Amino acid sequence: METILTSNLCRLQTELRNSSLRKIAFIGQPGAGKSTALDNLTDECLQPRPGIGVSTDMTDWSVERDVTLYSSFKDFIFVDAPGYGTIRHPTDTYLRLFPFDLFDEIFVFLNGKLLDSDERLVQYARNQKRKITVVQTHAHRFSVLEQEIRHHDLRARLGVEDHQILYLENRTGSGIAELKSAVFGHGAANSV
């Protein structure tokens, strides 16, 4: 039986295939700050803007069939995917239907502990030969030593290199310039 979530993921595949714009996915844990980072990244010029609020994950593709699946900014399509690993957005459904192969780059947002679902998704995306960047949000929580330990853990468990790991603090803007550079290219942080 097809659920609303599976219907929306299939629709996303179709809509992305029909676009020649550069495609960027923001995926990750619920409440990791994906939507806020996307809003900050585009200086609030994304159309339509992401839903940002106090709930753990404002983006929900499991309730309405005509939900907005992506937003545009300049020559880019951004997909602000709902947090995975929940009852409404199971990791296995993402692994089966999320169109990893259609994205130019995938940014995986981590809020807290590195979960099995994070490892599974990153490994799957890597197997699809997608460019991956891991974004550790709420970076203020980590001391310098904790950040070094976290960095080593992310490299070892996810198989990513140093340049594929960013630290972001949405409230202060720390790390936004690095995210802009990663998405838009070197020197883009000042021109976007």
Side-chain angles (χ1 to χ4, degrees):
M1 180 178 141
E2 184 177 86
T3 66
I4 293 173
L5 175 61
T6 59
S7 173
N8 282 327
L9 286 168
C10 290
R11 183 168 56 92
L12 178 64
Q13 289 180 33
T14 301
E15 292 181 14
L16 290 178
R17 277 194 177 89
N18 292 328
S19 173
S20 62
L21 298 177
R22 187 162 165 75
K23 299 166 191 76
I24 307 291
F26 277 27
I27 65 173
Q29 300 171 354
K34 299 177 296 289
S35 300
T36 303
L38 190 52
D39 212 29
N40 290 337
L41 173 74
T42 60
D43 297 322
E44 300 179 353
C45 293
L46 194 67
Q47 291 301 319
R49 286 184 63 201
I52 299 170
V54 294
S55 110
T56 304
D57 202 338
M58 292 292 294
T59 307
D60 191 335
W61 292 353
S62 68
V63 179
E64 297 176 35
R65 288 194 191 276
D66 62 348
V67 67
T68 300
L69 299 174
Y70 62 87
S71 298
S72 301
F73 177 74
K74 297 188 177 188
D75 295 332
F76 291 82
I77 285 179
F78 287 96
V79 171
D80 177 15
Y84 53 72
T86 66
I87 292 172
R88 288 184 166 181
H89 302 100
T91 303
D92 289 336
T93 302
Y94 272 81
L95 292 173
R96 192 166 39 87
L97 295 173
F98 192 80
F100 292 95
D101 61 320
L102 297 178
F103 288 95
D104 297 291
E105 186 160 6
I106 298 170
F107 289 80
V108 180
F109 283 71
L110 307 176
N111 181 11
K113 291 171 48 175
L114 184 61
L115 305 175
D116 176 61
S117 55
D118 302 318
E119 291 184 72
R120 290 174 61 204
L121 277 162
V122 168
Q123 184 59 44
Y124 187 83
R126 289 181 68 222
N127 289 343
Q128 297 288 314
K129 308 292 189 221
R130 298 299 94 192
K131 185 176 177 188
I132 302 288
T133 299
V134 176
V135 181
Q136 175 65 66
T137 59
H138 306 294
H140 70 282
R141 295 180 185 167
F142 300 104
S143 69
V144 172
L145 177 60
E146 290 170 326
Q147 189 169 330
E148 288 176 16
I149 292 168
R150 179 71 169 176
H151 199 83
H152 176 74
D153 191 41
L154 293 173
R155 286 187 61 202
R157 291 178 60 189
L158 299 178
V160 295
E161 300 296 325
D162 288 336
H163 69 276
Q164 294 175 280
I165 303 171
L166 300 176
Y167 295 89
L168 180 67
E169 179 52 53
N170 279 317
R171 290 179 194 239
T172 65
S174 174
I176 292 296
E178 291 82 0
L179 182 60
K180 284 183 178 185
S181 182
V183 172
F184 301 119
H186 296 293
N190 296 325
S191 64
V192 176

